[in-house]
Amino acid sequence: NIQHLVWPMNKKLLVFSLFLTLMTIHSSAYALALSKISLNSSLNQPLDATIEFASASTVELDSLHTSVSSLTGQISGVYHWPHLKVELIRSEQGPSYLKITSRDVVREPIIQFLLELDWVNGQIKREYSLLINPQ
């Protein structure tokens, strides 16, 4: 009976395919993700902000490339910050994070920028608008 021989093979192939699919879903569920931005500076100070990683593997952090750019188009009353530095800070005790700083003093109450992250298995582009309070 050939049917008895084919069914176990198909069943094994089906189980293996399901296993591979679940592994793919499982690994992507833990992809690099950012949490909200925290502003640690005030108006008339250099910008100091941090963005924690909600999840990130060592491989993702090892291959991470960051860039910051000004947003295209002008919005009235919003300064598009051109010169920001992004630094990856790895932490043994807590989550790793990105530190965003400026060398110049921030004199405008609202700034906007586009943060781009590229790593081995993906990319994120996120727009940030910060309302900076006077001290």
Side-chain angles (χ1 to χ4, degrees), residues 20 22 30 47 55 91-92 103 105 112 116 125 128:
L20 286 178
L22 290 175
Y30 293 102
L47 182 68
S55 68
S91 176
E92 299 281 327
R103 65 176 174 207
V105 170
Q112 281 189 315
E116 297 182 56
K125 291 183 181 184
Y128 287 94

Side-chain angles (χ1 to χ4, degrees), residues 67-82:
S67 66
V68 177
S69 59
S70 180
L71 294 170
T72 58
Q74 295 296 320
I75 299 171
S76 179
V78 176
Y79 182 71
H80 299 277
W81 202 255

Side-chain angles (χ1 to χ4, degrees), residues 112-130:
Q112 281 189 315
F113 60 90
L114 180 66
L115 176 65
E116 297 182 56
L117 306 176
D118 291 304
W119 65 96
V120 71
N121 291 324
Q123 69 177 23
I124 294 175
K125 291 183 181 184
R126 187 167 292 171
E127 179 182 329
Y128 287 94
S129 298
L130 299 175

Side-chain angles (χ1 to χ4, degrees), residues 21-71:
T21 303
L22 290 175
M23 288 303 294
T24 303
I25 293 169
H26 181 267
S27 66
S28 66
Y30 293 102
L32 187 136
L34 298 172
S35 65
K36 65 181 182 172
I37 191 166
S38 298
L39 185 60
N40 307 314
S41 59
S42 298
L43 210 53
N44 298 316
Q45 296 178 339
L47 182 68
D48 179 12
T50 56
I51 304 171
E52 286 187 3
F53 289 100
S55 68
S57 71
T58 304
V59 172
E60 290 167 334
L61 293 178
D62 287 344
S63 65
L64 186 66
H65 298 283
T66 62
S67 66
V68 177
S69 59
S70 180
L71 294 170

